[in-house]
Amino acid sequence: MTASETTAPETRPRTAARTFPPDFLWGTATAAYQIEGAAREGGRTPSIWDTFSHTPGKVFEGHTGDVAVDHYHRYPEDVRLMSELGLGAYRFSVSWPRVQPTGRGPAVQKGLDFYRRLVDELLAAGVAPALTLYHWDLPQELEDAGGWPERATAERFAEYAGLVADALGDRVKLWTTLNEPWCSAFLGYGSGVHAPGRTDPVAALRAAHHLNLGHGLTVQALRAALPGDGLVAVSLNLHEVRPLTPSAEDLDAARRIDAVGNRIWLGPMLEGAYPQDLFVDTAHLTDWSFVHDGDTATIHRPLDRLALNYYTPTVVSHVPKGAQKPQDDGHGSSEHSPWPGADQVAFHRAPGDRTAMGWPVDPSALYDLLIRTAARYPALPLVVSENGAAYEDEIGPDGTVHDPERAAYIHAHLDAVHRAIADGVDVRGYFLWSLLDNFEWAYGYAKRFGAVHVDHDTLQRTPKSSALWYAAVARTGELHAPGSA
Ligand code: FCB
């Protein structure tokens, strides 16, 4: 298929309401470092993102998560906002260095207490908590000991997971091991645009394996600690890879990106083996001897949900050796590629509307991703654990934030989810990224993804018009076009 084709033509009238299954989870998502602040409170030590954001030149205008949107202190207000909006679920992450500051040893009570209070507040408000154990904030001490390229980090991760599960397993049902390990490995250790900012393709591949191993060990730790009805998932940013043309070269470029973007996780986690073509593509870099006997069996553990984060498709073509190519794949520009084994692949932005991130808006790719993933893993229910868009929102003179583009983006993507469900895909929920405007990693506070606007000077929260529309969809389970109800 070429980038300009769509697979599922829209035949139903745009105005017809779409009804979602009654038990569909409607939520928003956040991550600890992006919202909590309180970077030095309660015994918390620096994570790799504290170090990275405090390193000049790494984050837009030197922004850091020191205060972020102060969710650590304002969580009651944030939970109240969710409850007023009638959103039934909330995906958040636990800050590893808040709970286990050195990445080893016993948990710090104050850290666990914060999450206990947050979860209790959510449950009291009728909001189901969904907990992510790792959304990129590795304790700096563990990075100093070698970070994810070292095997021991995987073991430390499972120990930390056990501590959190022991403390919160009785009240949190849905658990996610890793968020987007592709970003941790390849942006963190490959292109260096994310913490810890290393630019070594071999370290990135080693990190990928140890993230996989950490996932497998953590699934075991969770199974041991959670009650029988606990659900275990992983959140992957699977790339919906589209060749620019149907040429054999472009198809091979797409295969390479699918290998190092998607199958590097899906293979060991869900099929028990790394893809052979990944070994071939990266043979000039490593012999993969860091994969020990038995590792893939450890990684390959039954999951209850596969959670997908989707924003935009990935359009690729082949470039001949030595030819100039556009470097920007939408993950930040760096002279170092985040794609080991894909030196001759160029990335293209699809035509059409773009968000403030420059990411093309293409809901058909979400539909295709859901259909393709379900065809490969038919027994595994899916969740959309992130989807959303940044736009340049402003508070109007009347004090409201009118963001019709975001509502249109969400509507189009929920419509794609609904079409996938109608076509037989078992999708159990949708988490809008994000509840609040927050620290958007290397972009700092310059990009606003929130359903709720945050004034970064006063930290005042104001639900945007898209939040009110999304809340009505969530309350009724009926998807109607923004402005039509
Ligand atoms: C995803 C991250 C999330 C947020 C969105 C925009 O890759 O998981 O933290 O930054 O992108």
Side-chain angles (χ1 to χ4, degrees):
M1 196 185 65
T2 65
S4 55
E5 285 172 313
T6 55
T7 48
E10 179 55 78
T11 47
R12 290 167 299 177
R14 303 287 318 162
T15 48
R18 283 96 159 106
T19 307
F20 281 76
D23 51 358
F24 192 80
L25 286 178
W26 295 97
T28 56
T30 62
Y33 190 70
Q34 296 182 273
I35 63 165
E36 284 181 5
R40 287 176 206 86
E41 281 181 52
R44 182 187 179 281
T45 55
S47 76
I48 53 175
W49 267 99
D50 294 272
T51 308
F52 190 75
S53 64
H54 280 271
T55 307
K58 298 297 186 192
V59 173
F60 176 77
E61 292 191 353
H63 294 172
T64 74
D66 287 3
V67 177
V69 297
D70 197 31
H71 172 76
Y72 184 79
H73 298 111
R74 293 168 197 247
Y75 73 90
E77 179 185 351
D78 294 338
V79 174
R80 201 159 55 239
L81 275 167
M82 287 182 240
S83 136
E84 280 165 12
L85 290 168
L87 297 169
Y90 175 54
R91 173 175 178 247
F92 66 97
S93 81
V94 170
S95 157
W96 186 347
R98 195 180 288 293
V99 163
Q100 197 192 34
T102 61
R104 292 183 180 79
V108 165
Q109 201 52 44
K110 274 194 173 163
L112 287 178
D113 284 348
F114 166 67
Y115 295 104
R116 252 197 216 113
R117 289 195 305 272
L118 169 64
V119 166
D120 287 349
E121 195 95 9
L122 287 164
L123 292 171
V127 181
L131 186 156
T132 299
L133 285 159
Y134 187 71
H135 202 128
W136 308 353
D137 43 1
L138 185 71
Q140 182 61 42
E141 274 204 43
L142 292 187
E143 173 60 20
D144 295 343
W148 286 110
E150 292 307 317
R151 191 176 180 85
T153 304
E155 289 154 15
R156 295 290 83 72
F157 179 52
E159 288 165 14
Y160 147 74
L163 297 174
V164 181
D166 283 342
L168 299 173
D170 59 340
R171 44 198 108 177
V172 175
K173 192 162 168 197
L174 180 54
W175 291 71
T176 298
T177 57
L178 302 170
N179 176 72
E180 301 191 357
W182 183 86
C183 295
S184 299
F186 296 113
L187 302 182
Y189 294 92
S191 69
V193 300
H194 278 188
R198 287 204 242 164
T199 54
D200 173 353
V202 180
L205 290 168
R206 292 175 61 100
H209 176 60
H210 297 131
L211 284 153
N212 272 326
L213 188 62
H215 161 81
L217 293 168
T218 292
V219 176
Q220 289 177 45
L222 290 177
R223 295 287 182 215
L226 297 181
D229 64 348
L231 300 173
V232 179
V234 64
S235 279
L236 301 176
N237 56 322
L238 293 184
H239 297 80
E240 183 55 24
V241 189
R242 295 177 164 183
L244 187 67
T245 77
S247 72
E249 289 86 357
D250 286 359
L251 285 169
D252 191 60
R255 178 199 59 73
R256 279 174 192 267
I257 297 306
D258 182 45
V260 73
N262 301 332
R263 289 181 286 120
I264 190 171
W265 318 109
L266 296 172
M269 287 181 185
L270 299 179
E271 300 177 25
Y274 280 102
Q276 283 303 316
D277 57 330
L278 175 67
F279 292 152
V280 174
D281 293 344
T282 56
H284 60 295
L285 295 168
T286 174
D287 61 3
W288 287 76
S289 52
F290 46 83
V291 180
H292 296 181
D293 282 352
D295 281 3
T296 44
T298 303
I299 300 165
H300 185 206
R301 296 280 145 183
L303 294 178
D304 304 304
R305 301 281 184 272
L306 177 58
L308 306 181
N309 295 352
Y310 169 81
Y311 291 90
T312 192
T314 303
V315 181
V316 299
S317 69
H318 170 81
V319 280
K321 268 208 169 82
Q324 278 285 90
K325 61 174 180 180
Q327 257 308 337
D328 190 357
D329 61 359
H331 294 286
S333 52
S334 162
E335 56 187 288
H336 302 277
S337 168
W339 299 101
D343 296 342
Q344 286 175 257
V345 176
F347 293 83
H348 305 264
R349 299 218 177 175
D353 292 348
R354 294 183 182 191
T355 69
M357 298 295 283
W359 297 344
V361 178
D362 187 347
S364 77
L366 175 56
Y367 173 84
D368 291 349
L369 180 63
L370 292 170
I371 294 284
R372 214 162 35 80
T373 308
R376 190 143 184 133
Y377 309 106
L380 193 53
L382 305 179
V383 171
V384 177
S385 48
E386 284 183 29
N387 174 243
Y391 288 107
E392 291 183 0
D393 308 310
E394 278 171 24
I395 299 239
D398 61 352
T400 67
V401 182
H402 187 52
D403 60 340
E405 292 166 301
R406 180 172 293 99
Y409 178 100
I410 303 167
H411 175 257
H413 288 77
L414 280 174
D415 190 54
V417 173
H418 188 270
R419 279 198 290 136
I421 294 173
D423 292 344
V425 181
D426 186 2
V427 188
R428 301 290 177 97
Y430 175 92
F431 290 82
L432 174 65
W433 185 270
S434 180
L435 174 67
L436 302 157
D437 290 338
N438 60 45
F439 176 82
E440 180 44 41
W441 308 114
Y443 298 88
Y445 299 98
K447 304 293 178 199
R448 295 181 174 275
F449 274 92
V452 174
H453 180 275
V454 178
D455 178 319
H456 290 304
D457 295 324
T458 64
L459 298 174
Q460 193 187 332
R461 276 84 162 134
T462 309
K464 303 175 190 177
S465 57
S466 65
L468 305 177
W469 168 80
Y470 178 59
V473 173
R475 272 199 303 271
T476 58
E478 296 272 333
L479 180 64
H480 55 266
S484 72

